[in-house]
């Protein structure tokens, strides 16, 4: 089954009462777990490769592996370069197989954020790649209010983003989601909305996000914790054994967390209808050599 256009995935999810889950990959165990769990659940999924993770992943090797896994998957999959902080990094990732870009905060001021986002959008649009960008519009953080509806409207109009992220990516244990504000945002833009899992959401919060039309929920913290807990158990049980024994069970622990997220998002058994709705994605080629 081919890679698909992420815009089509988000559009289908937002209009059919579920959310697509995106999973940031920190290694091959994460990749195998995400694809296997999505196939087991017959759920569409987004494979995310975060710019900060490239510090320990060799992009020229890892991204082609992600693309190969996506193209071999039996469910519709797209690949996003996430937490992107520069035009150069986003262009490189597109050249290595990513067919979507999700931006991190790109400026210290609103004007700088808009200008830098627009630059990435213009670069990616020339390659047919959708860009997800946004600002914190529904999360109440200590000492910080969410962006106003006027700020959201202006950001969308001035940047030309294809997909709007409305939640801050910083993990804050007590961050409060403003669902009333989320519903109002739907009235100021027709773009698909996405939310980063700023913390572990309750089952009720998951359901409410989906009810409010959120098309994608982005995950990493829960995956990282599941892998870390497995590794720590193995260290305690096998203090003198090597790498394979220490990493035993990590992929299974990751898979269980992926399946939990897929079930909460309502995306289980949505693959056939999503695939029928989505356009296949052609390979981009190595446009920007490493």
């Amino acid at each position: 089954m081919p890679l698909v256009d992420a815009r089509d995935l988000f559009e289908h999810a937002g209009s059919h009462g579920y959310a697509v889950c995106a999973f940031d990959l920190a290694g091959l165990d994460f990749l195998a777990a995400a694809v296997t769990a999505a196939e087991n659940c017959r759920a569409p999924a987004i494979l995310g490769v975060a710019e900060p993770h490239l510090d320990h992943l060799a992009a020229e090797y890892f991204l082609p592996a992600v693309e190969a896994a996506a193209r071999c998957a039996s469910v519709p999959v797209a690949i996003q370069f996430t937490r992107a902080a520069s035009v150069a990094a986003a262009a490189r990732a597109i050249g290595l197989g990513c067919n979507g870009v999700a931006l991190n905060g790109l400026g210290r001021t609103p004007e700088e954020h808009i200008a830098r986002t627009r630059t990435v959008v213009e670069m990616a649009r020339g390659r047919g790649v959708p860009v997800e960008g946004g600002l914190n519009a529904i999360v109440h953080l200590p000492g910080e209010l969410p962006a106003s509806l006027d700020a959201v409207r202006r950001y969308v109009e001035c940047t030309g983003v294809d997909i709007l992220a409305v939640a801050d990516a910083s993990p804050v244990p007590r961050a409060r989601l403003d669902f009333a504000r989320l519903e109002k945002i739907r009235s100021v833009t027709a773009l698909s909305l996405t939310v980063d899992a700023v913390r572990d959401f309750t089952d009720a919060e998951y359901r409410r996000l989906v009810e409010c039309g959120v098309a994608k929920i982005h995950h990493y913290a829960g995956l990282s914790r599941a892998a870390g807990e497995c590794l720590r158990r193995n260290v305690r049980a096998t203090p003198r054994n090597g790498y394979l024994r220490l990493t035993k069970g990590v992929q299974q622990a990751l898979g269980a967390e992926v399946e939990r997220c897929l079930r909460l998002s309502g995306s289980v058994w949505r693959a056939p209808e999503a695939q029928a709705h989505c356009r296949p994605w052609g390979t981009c080629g190595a446009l920007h050599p490493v």
Side-chain angles (χ1 to χ4, degrees), residues 116-257:
R116 292 187 177 183
T117 299
R118 186 167 56 242
T119 301
V120 175
V121 169
E122 291 170 353
M123 177 278 297
R125 187 155 290 162
R127 295 156 175 79
V129 172
V131 174
E132 173 188 328
L135 61 178
N136 175 29
I138 67 165
V139 180
H140 289 266
L141 301 170
E144 179 185 337
L145 293 175
S148 68
L149 293 181
D150 284 341
V152 172
R153 184 185 295 108
R154 183 168 182 272
Y155 178 84
V156 170
E157 292 174 351
C158 292
T159 62
V161 292
D162 303 281
I163 303 144
L164 181 64
V166 295
D168 191 277
S170 302
V172 179
R174 296 184 181 180
R176 179 172 67 84
L177 300 178
D178 191 330
F179 291 104
R181 198 177 194 83
L182 178 57
E183 292 177 349
K184 291 178 181 177
I185 291 171
R186 298 260 10 124
S187 69
V188 302
T189 179
L191 294 181
S192 296
L193 303 183
T194 72
V195 168
D196 203 298
V198 294
R199 56 170 170 76
D200 287 334
F201 295 145
T202 66
D203 291 6
E205 286 174 326
Y206 257 102
R207 296 190 188 99
R208 188 73 186 278
L209 287 169
V210 174
E211 289 170 2
C212 289
V214 168
K216 186 196 82 170
I217 301 176
H218 198 115
H219 301 275
Y220 175 67
L223 298 177
S224 179
R225 184 178 56 255
E229 289 173 353
C230 183
L231 287 170
R232 284 188 288 274
R233 287 195 299 270
N234 289 344
V235 167
R236 289 192 295 267
T238 59
R240 295 187 178 181
N241 285 311
Y243 176 81
L244 291 178
R245 286 184 181 272
L246 292 176
T247 57
K248 184 179 180 180
V250 168
Q251 185 175 321
Q252 289 72 22
L254 288 166
E257 175 63 13

Side-chain angles (χ1 to χ4, degrees), residues 5-31:
D5 192 313
R7 284 166 293 206
D8 295 342
L9 265 185
F10 298 156
E11 178 187 277
H12 186 268
S15 61
H16 286 77
Y18 71 98
V20 178
C21 288
F23 302 102
D24 270 354
L25 311 174
L28 291 176
D29 280 342
F30 284 69
L31 172 60

Side-chain angles (χ1 to χ4, degrees), residues 40-56:
N40 288 343
C41 292
R42 306 305 302 155
I46 304 290
L47 303 177
V49 180
E51 182 174 346
H53 293 170
L54 296 184
D55 289 343
H56 71 273

